[in-house]
Amino acid sequence: MNGWLWAASTLLAAGLGPVVWGVATGPMERRVVAQNFGTSAVTLVMLLLAQGYQRPSYVDLALVLAVLGPVGTLVYARLLADDLTSDPPHTVLLTAVAAFATSVVTVALCVATGPGRAMVKLLLIGALLVAGNVIASRAMSGGFSGGKETSHG
């Protein structure tokens, strides 16, 4: 077992346990936040497994997860908007943890990969994960629905 596989196993154990607990129990606010964080954790695990097993196809799967994960969270936030506005979830800490973990994993993988197309793909995945997580967390906490709509006519 190399260091990449060890890091993937550690992240999977440390990240997915609380995610499963958060999704399976508690109020809806915690479930939506746990789902969003779980997508980030699984995407990072896929990136680490791609490096550990030398399988570039895992990076493509991570790219798909980085795009679709936050979109899924935005769909949940939209469908559950009425329920989430009464008591919006607190997402600041998990968003910061996900952004930090994404940055660490992305930089480590870019150093190991070296310059080239693979490095550009890793940077794109890292940027998508951080931006998607921030946007989805902001939407869950009601940050985008606070203004009054006006019509000009």
Side-chain angles (χ1 to χ4, degrees):
M1 179 180 254
N2 61 31
W4 301 109
L5 297 178
W6 182 84
S9 300
T10 303
L11 182 60
L12 189 63
L16 222 51
V19 166
V20 169
W21 176 77
V23 170
T25 64
M28 180 178 28
E29 296 85 16
R30 182 173 48 192
R31 293 175 189 211
V32 175
V33 172
Q35 179 269 334
N36 187 41
F37 185 73
T39 301
S40 297
V42 169
T43 304
L44 294 177
V45 167
M46 292 305 297
L47 288 173
L48 291 167
L49 289 175
Q51 185 68 29
Y53 288 128
Q54 298 297 315
R55 302 277 186 180
S57 61
Y58 292 178
V59 176
D60 295 339
L61 179 59
L63 178 61
V64 171
L65 284 172
V67 171
L68 294 180
V71 170
T73 303
L74 289 173
V75 169
Y76 280 126
R78 176 71 175 150
L79 292 174
L80 304 172
D82 294 338
D83 297 327
L84 293 176
T85 55
S86 62
D87 185 23
H90 305 289
T91 59
V92 176
L93 180 62
L94 277 181
T95 302
V97 168
F100 178 74
T102 299
S103 301
V104 168
V105 169
T106 303
V107 168
L109 289 171
C110 285
V111 168
T113 302
R117 292 179 72 194
M119 183 179 188
V120 172
K121 190 184 280 189
L122 288 171
L123 290 172
L124 175 67
I125 292 169
L128 284 171
L129 267 180
V130 171
N133 223 330
V134 168
I135 290 169
S137 296
R138 180 83 177 187
M140 284 187 294
S141 61
F144 294 130
S145 62
K148 290 184 181 181
E149 294 183 19
T150 60
S151 63
H152 302 291

